[in-house]
Amino acid sequence: MVKGIILAFLAFAVFAWGDAVVKAIGHDLDPFEVTFFGYLIPLLLSPAFMKPGDRLTDLVRWKSPWLMALRVFFISVTTPLSVMAFTRLPFAEAFALLFLMPSLVTVLSIFILKETVRWRRGLAVCAAFIGVLIIVRPGFREVLPGHLIAIAAALCAAGGVIMGRMIGTTETRYTLIGSVFLGTALIAGILMIPGFTWPTPSQWGLLLAFAATAFVAQAFFVIATTYAPADRLGAAQYSQILWALVIGAFFFDEWPDAMALVGIVVVVAAGLFIFAREQTLKKAPAAARVASSPEERADLEPAAR
């Protein structure tokens, strides 16, 4: 268990530094171009996630085609939206808005999964939205397009999680991971055409660094799930906000004001409470059927991305 937790924290640290690379390069290149090259190399390396019996055709041979198509679409759209958010907002502020995702999952689960949400999680959801209002402060400062883009990314990520829960354990690990790499590269590749510019040598270096972090972080997380159930490692993703504060301050000279810090704390605390509450509910007998092996989980790629 301890090895799994350490590897999960390491995975999300790599993800955070990858997002820092995105922020560094995103001002100069089209966000869809950044996304395309950032996911093309992981796609080519995705066979590393194959288990005995898996085939390359599993990338597009789905047992739940409609649900998988929606899941791939939502997660694939999340990445370019996140790239846009990171380039338009302070680093930590963008992360905090993306961490609205667990609260949005809770809301969507009421309407789509017909899940009963009791008052504790309901209050946590309300607190998360209050935290967002504290960060954005509409009426007191300008609401930027980046704020709306970050919230849209969180909503798409939540949609991907909901689709994953509906899929359940029917798809293999390679299908779940590789199909996202494929879908993201395909969608971004098409959308980058109008604004495509050939990267400079230094930009190629940053693009390769982003691609490396996307693959390495995912690999660390998959290895972590061999030591601990994936659904118990999700809280580690909130360590990204600490990386975001440090990276934003020392590398991008972004120092959040006191109100922004309060809002960030509220959003993160609400997300952690929702996560902890869901873990408590999973201990009930009705939830004992939830699979714990990495190839059986439907939410392997961290949705906060």
Side-chain angles (χ1 to χ4, degrees):
M1 178 69 78
V2 175
K3 288 183 179 179
I5 293 174
I6 293 174
L7 284 168
F9 275 105
L10 183 59
F12 288 111
V14 175
F15 272 129
W17 281 99
D19 291 329
V21 173
V22 167
K23 184 175 179 64
I25 194 175
H27 292 287
D28 301 318
L29 287 178
D30 183 270
F32 296 109
E33 184 176 347
V34 173
T35 302
F36 171 74
F37 287 112
Y39 275 74
L40 178 62
I41 294 177
L43 171 62
L44 298 176
L45 298 177
S46 64
F49 297 109
M50 295 176 70
K51 303 284 287 185
D54 291 344
R55 299 179 180 180
L56 289 175
T57 54
D58 291 341
L59 284 175
V60 293
R61 190 174 58 186
W62 302 331
K63 297 180 177 66
S64 305
W66 289 107
L67 292 177
M68 276 293 294
L70 286 172
R71 174 180 175 274
V72 169
F73 173 77
F74 281 130
I75 299 177
S76 298
V77 171
T78 298
T79 300
L81 288 176
S82 300
V83 172
M84 296 179 194
F86 286 131
T87 57
R88 288 167 169 79
L89 294 175
F91 202 41
E93 192 169 310
F95 259 114
L97 294 177
L98 291 172
F99 280 138
L100 188 62
M101 183 271 294
S103 300
L104 293 172
V105 169
T106 301
V107 173
L108 291 176
S109 67
I110 298 173
F111 300 100
I112 299 176
L113 303 180
K114 307 302 180 184
E115 181 180 315
T116 300
V117 175
R118 301 186 183 279
W119 65 272
R120 293 180 182 86
R121 278 196 292 169
L123 287 178
V125 170
C126 293
F129 284 107
I130 292 173
V132 169
L133 290 176
I134 295 174
I135 295 171
V136 178
R137 279 166 277 174
F140 295 91
R141 67 171 185 169
E142 182 183 3
V143 177
L144 301 173
H147 293 124
L148 301 179
I149 292 171
I151 294 172
L155 182 59
C156 288
V161 172
I162 293 295
M163 294 302 107
R165 291 181 179 180
M166 294 176 70
I167 291 169
T169 61
T170 61
E171 307 289 348
T172 67
R173 179 180 71 187
Y174 175 59
T175 301
L176 293 169
I177 297 175
S179 62
V180 169
F181 288 150
L182 175 62
T184 304
L186 182 61
I187 292 175
I190 295 173
L191 295 177
M192 77 172 183
I193 294 174
F196 179 81
T197 56
W198 192 255
T200 64
S202 61
Q203 290 171 341
W204 274 120
L206 290 174
L207 287 172
L208 290 173
F210 174 44
T213 60
F215 179 79
V216 171
Q218 186 66 73
F220 276 141
F221 189 75
V222 169
I223 297 172
T225 61
T226 64
Y227 296 100
D231 57 343
R232 296 185 183 180
L233 299 175
Q237 68 180 310
Y238 288 92
S239 62
Q240 289 180 292
I241 196 66
L242 299 178
W243 284 110
L245 288 168
V246 172
I247 294 171
F250 292 100
F251 288 89
F252 298 110
D253 196 27
E254 297 172 349
W255 299 85
D257 59 28
M259 289 295 291
L261 285 174
V262 170
I264 290 170
V265 170
V266 171
V267 172
V268 172
L272 283 171
F273 179 85
I274 291 172
F275 174 82
R277 185 60 183 164
E278 288 179 346
Q279 294 306 301
T280 300
L281 295 175
K282 285 179 181 179
K283 294 179 181 178
R289 296 187 300 274
V290 176
S292 62
S293 64
E295 61 268 28
E296 291 176 326
R297 291 294 301 160
D299 53 354
L300 279 172
E301 59 284 318
R305 303 264 315 149

